[in-house]
Amino acid sequence: MADNILEMDVVTADGSEVHVSESSNPDLYWAMRGAGQNFGIVTKFRYRIFDYPNGPDIFHATYHFTEDQLESLFEHQNSLINNGTLPRDVNAYVVLRSKPLIDSR
């Protein structure tokens, strides 16, 4: 994905707001695209996108759940992908991330 970043707005460690692209702050542009981390905080991206004329519609969802809901979450995900019977040109994936418990007090 980093290869398709065209430009970024970045806040650097000294609090400066800079525009970063091939022609504006090029050293920071190349660093932020893959040399490492901790060069700044990106507040805006501009990406190169590609047409997928014969492709399906794209769907994205974010699920927030607790451990006791994990089984029903997978059942729901399996129903969305027709229990593994989707055509070969359709991709589906799930990203699970653990979040700390939030104390509502």
Side-chain angles (χ1 to χ4, degrees):
M1 185 177 304
D3 291 341
N4 293 308
I5 295 173
L6 300 174
E7 55 189 47
M8 297 168 263
D9 289 341
V10 178
V11 177
T12 60
D14 67 0
S16 301
E17 296 178 32
V18 295
H19 183 75
V20 178
S21 68
E22 258 185 272
S23 59
S24 174
N25 298 296
D27 289 343
L28 185 55
Y29 172 70
W30 291 107
M32 302 256 332
R33 290 181 61 222
Q37 55 192 14
N38 299 325
F39 291 104
I41 298 171
V42 178
T43 60
K44 184 177 178 181
F45 286 100
R46 183 168 166 243
Y47 285 98
R48 176 182 300 113
I49 61 172
F50 299 90
D51 190 21
Y52 188 34
N54 298 321
D57 292 332
I58 296 173
F59 173 77
H60 170 81
T62 301
Y63 299 95
H64 298 274
F65 59 92
T66 55
E67 288 179 19
D68 62 313
Q69 298 170 314
L70 191 57
E71 186 174 344
S72 61
L73 172 68
F74 277 111
E75 288 173 359
H76 176 69
Q77 182 66 29
N78 283 334
S79 71
L80 290 175
I81 62 169
N82 294 330
N83 293 311
T85 60
L86 290 176
R88 292 186 75 195
D89 63 341
V90 177
N91 294 306
Y93 63 93
V94 177
V95 176
L96 300 177
R97 293 187 178 148
S98 176
K99 288 191 169 197
L101 293 175
I102 298 173
D103 188 350
S104 61
R105 291 181 273 163

